[in-house]
């Protein structure tokens, strides 16, 4: 169960969809001054080198963050507006790098830490025996370290215990690796329990678009859970290529429960640019749908 290391996928197209969406969610929730608790149920190592180690082997950043950064430079040079969401995301990635050269990629813990206001808290879960040590070491270097709790525990079991947060304002990112088929079942149970305890929280679930039955069924399962709790939802997918038979991940999705009203409008502008930037063949496309109670 511990073969997955997120460094292989750092800065990939899937990270871009997830992290662009995440930035918008946090920035919207911080429009109010009240304390915000953010839970990252599947944290990974926190920050990754793109120059060596797993990321250098997989080279997924070549068709992800590196491709997007080059595209953005050309897009802006031609006088076009890349939009606040993509620019904010690129600025956030660049902020962990010393100069214009992108050698480091911040994972969700570092992106979220960089956004914390003094009143906010971040809770990180990581179960991998090696990854948890790296995460702890990395988090300890952050100036926001005192606002961050790191748990070496199974977040699917522990999430409900953290809900509702004391301020009753919370964002939960759920980003499993899905290497274990049971993750799909555990996700459903965790979401049922979370919504029973904290129905008004904002939940952002990432998933890979695969032919596997559980993956194809995930959005409908999440819709059923959201609707049963009378919650609004937003569902989006980004496909960068359509090459049947290829084993690499070609599309991923985000399912948001209690999305901010601004998210759909924002993604409707951002996703076509991401398709243009990251699309590798004529199968590149996006999907965006929402339902309001
Ligand atoms: N959220 C990270 C980001 O965006 O940078 C990437 C996380 S990666 C997709 C998933 C991580 O969850 C892996 O590091 C894995 O070891 C960890 N993990 C798997 N099952 C877990 C569980 N039940 N509880 C906590 N962490 C888990």
């Amino acid at each position: 169960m511990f073969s997955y290391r997120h460094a292989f996928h750092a800065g990939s197209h899937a990270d871009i969809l997830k992290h662009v969406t995440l930035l918008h969610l946090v920035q919207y929730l911080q429009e109010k001054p009240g304390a915000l608790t953010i839970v990252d149920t599947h944290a990974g190592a926190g920050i990754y080198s793109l120059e060596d180690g797993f990321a250098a082997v997989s080279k997924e950043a070549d068709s992800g963050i590196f491709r997007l950064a080059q595209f953005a430079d050309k897009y802006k040079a031609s006088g076009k507006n890349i939009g606040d969401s993509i620019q904010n995301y690129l600025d956030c990635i660049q902020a962990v790098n010393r100069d214009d050269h992108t050698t480091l990629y911040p994972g969700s813990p570092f992106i979220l830490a960089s956004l914390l206001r003094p009143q906010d808290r971040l809770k990180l879960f990581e179960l991998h025996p090696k990854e948890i040590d790296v995460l702890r070491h990395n988090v300890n270097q952050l100036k926001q370290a005192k606002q961050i709790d790191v748990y070496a525990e199974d977040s699917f079991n522990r999430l409900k215990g953290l809900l509702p947060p004391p301020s009753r304002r919370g964002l939960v990112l759920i980003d499993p690796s899905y290497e274990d088929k049971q993750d799909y079942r555990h996700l459903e149970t965790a979401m049922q329990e979370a919504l029973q305890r904290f129905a008004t929280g904002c939940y952002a679930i990432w998933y890979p678009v695969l032919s596997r039955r559980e993956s194809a069924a995930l959005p409908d399962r999440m819709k059923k859970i959201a609707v049963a709790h009378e919650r609004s939802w937003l569902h989006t997918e980004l496909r960068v290529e359509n090459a049947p038979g290829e084993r690499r991940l070609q599309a991923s999705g985000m399912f948001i429960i209690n999305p901010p009203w601004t998210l759909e409008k924002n993604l409707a502008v951002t996703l076509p640019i991401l398709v243009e930037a990251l699309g590798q063949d004529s199968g590149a496309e996006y999907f965006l749908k929402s339902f309001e109670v």
Side-chain angles (χ1 to χ4, degrees), residues 111-162:
I111 291 177
L112 292 167
S114 73
L115 299 172
L116 293 177
R117 302 165 301 173
Q119 64 270 41
D120 300 332
R121 293 290 173 273
L122 176 59
K123 316 264 181 199
L124 305 173
F125 286 90
E126 177 52 52
L127 206 49
H128 193 291
K130 288 205 176 107
E131 214 75 327
I132 184 70
D133 289 343
V134 183
L135 176 66
R136 283 213 162 101
H137 171 82
N138 287 336
V139 167
N140 283 336
Q141 318 297 314
L142 288 169
K143 65 175 192 296
Q144 302 90 345
K146 287 206 168 74
Q147 293 169 256
I148 305 173
D149 294 317
V150 180
Y151 305 91
E153 291 176 51
D154 180 346
S155 58
F156 284 131
N157 284 334
R158 272 298 307 276
L159 177 61
K160 58 179 179 295
L162 293 180

Side-chain angles (χ1 to χ4, degrees), residues 14 23 34 97 108 116 132 139 144-145 166 174 198 245-246 260 266 288 290:
L23 275 163
N97 287 281
S108 52
L116 293 177
I132 184 70
V139 167
Q144 302 90 345
I174 306 184
F198 183 39
E246 287 289 350
N266 177 279
L288 181 60
S290 69

Side-chain angles (χ1 to χ4, degrees), residues 223-240:
K223 276 174 212 167
K224 277 199 185 116
I225 293 173
V227 170
H229 288 84
E230 298 179 13
R231 299 289 103 199
S232 301
W233 54 260
L234 180 147
H235 175 206
T236 187
E237 287 184 359
L238 173 65
R239 170 170 294 284
V240 298

Side-chain angles (χ1 to χ4, degrees), residues 72-129:
D73 286 345
K74 284 195 198 134
Y75 202 79
K76 289 186 279 183
S78 71
K80 293 194 220 163
N81 181 359
I82 195 84
D84 287 348
S85 259
I86 295 178
Q87 191 57 54
N88 285 343
Y89 165 74
L90 291 171
D91 290 345
C92 180
I93 304 309
Q94 219 39 54
V96 300
N97 287 281
R98 284 220 180 95
D99 46 40
D100 275 357
H101 196 46
T102 308
T103 58
L104 294 171
Y105 188 83
S108 52
F110 267 54
I111 291 177
L112 292 167
S114 73
L115 299 172
L116 293 177
R117 302 165 301 173
Q119 64 270 41
D120 300 332
R121 293 290 173 273
L122 176 59
K123 316 264 181 199
L124 305 173
F125 286 90
E126 177 52 52
L127 206 49
H128 193 291

Side-chain angles (χ1 to χ4, degrees), residues 260-275:
W261 66 273
T262 50
L263 183 62
E264 185 167 18
K265 215 168 124 198
N266 177 279
L267 288 176
V269 175
T270 305
L271 287 167
I273 302 178
L274 288 181
V275 168

